[in-house]
Amino acid sequence: MNTKKRVLTGDRPTGKLHLGHYVGSLQNRLRLQSEHEQIFCMIADLQALTDHADHPEKVRKNVLEITMDNLAVGLDPDKTVFFIQSHIPEIAELTVLFMNLVTLARLKRNPTVKDEMKQKGYGEDVPAGFLAYPISQAADILTFHANSIPVGEDQLPVLEQTNEIVTKFNSLYGNLFSKIEPVLSTVPRLVGVDGGAKAGKSLGNAIYLSDSKEEIMRKVMMMYTDPDHIRMEMPGKIEGNVVFTYLDVFDPDKETMQILKTKYSQGGLGDVEIKYRLVDILENFIAPIREKRIEYECHPEMVLRILEEGTNRAREIAKETMCEVKKAIGLDYF
Ligand code: ATP
Ligand code: MG
């Protein structure tokens, strides 16, 4: 059994990356990279197609966009292997084999998939590929014998299914795969600017790592605060107030924040003033990322080369794993 520590992480190319991605997953990727862990960063274009089969051009366009986002925050292609899911056919092969290890009832019970199906209004007309994406995600991870998986909280039930597949596979065919561990951040779920439970690309309620100062301003000004805090001198609520939720995450000056919170809850601090503070903080946070991103935007060929080289490296490992899998099941005829 392969016991080497490996990290697999990734994003669906359904839109640019946002602050939720940064605090939920990207900052853990950066930490693991600085700790010299071996990181595989997958651009999950096949998973994106499970709910975008009718918009392949959107998926194609976003492959470059999210790679640039990852590079702009500081992931280094010399240390992190970037690869495109659809160009590793072994992942699809492993998915087919794993399909036999999971029941339809189990897929329908997955709380994340259930939530997302509701959000997309699928009902019984859910694409089979979408319902089965936890199976293909297990294949993504296990193809690389990865065991550390930095994710946001919404992905925990999906990773639980991976571990069930590990147990089932090992009990049937011998101990080939190891259990995986989710790596959660201190902010495993960032709320949407609309106060929604999660900022999401598909929900259109996020501040993107590439947003201009004007866009940041527009979104912050729209943020949900305390609906009963009509005049500045009135006491306001901190809990459930999106502006304070974001300040708690992004404002490094915790002491001043405490003073401002006290003032707001006693009365005497306006929503606009506190929103301006958040705009400045987010602009300071995003500006260097946006600038670094522009360098990559000017050289898309460089980004494509990074993806091509990474995909070639990833493919070598995937081929080795498929040989092991075929041997374990007895499909090694020749
Ligand atoms: P989509 O709506 O297309 O599913 P998404 O915003 O959920 O997009 P994904 O590409 O599905 O983004 O997720 C990439 C990673 O970012 C996952 O590990 C996911 O858990 C994490 N993530 C996404 N949104 C948030 C959020 N609001 N807070 C924390 N982590 C998040
Ligand atoms: Mg998602």
Side-chain angles (χ1 to χ4, degrees), residues 73-124:
V73 300
L75 281 159
D76 176 351
D78 288 333
K79 298 178 184 155
T80 290
V81 179
F82 285 94
F83 69 96
I84 304 182
Q85 187 187 24
S86 63
H87 279 241
I88 312 287
E90 289 76 13
I91 293 178
E93 232 180 316
L94 196 55
T95 302
V96 169
L97 292 167
F98 285 170
M99 294 266 246
N100 305 324
L101 311 181
V102 181
T103 65
L104 185 58
R106 176 64 182 98
L107 287 172
K108 285 186 173 170
R109 258 199 332 266
N110 184 308
T112 301
V113 178
K114 257 163 102 175
D115 266 7
E116 291 173 345
M117 275 171 62
K118 206 158 142 201
Q119 182 200 309
K120 292 169 206 296
Y122 280 146
E124 281 298 304

Side-chain angles (χ1 to χ4, degrees), residues 10-12 14 18 20-21 23-25 29 116 150-155 187-190 198-203:
D11 311 289
R12 291 156 34 96
T14 51
H18 52 68
H21 294 118
V23 295
S25 171
R29 297 179 194 179
E116 291 173 345
V151 282
E153 192 180 62
D154 61 303
Q155 288 301 304
V187 189
R189 181 172 50 82
L190 186 70
K198 170 180 175 284
K201 290 189 223 101
S202 307
L203 300 164

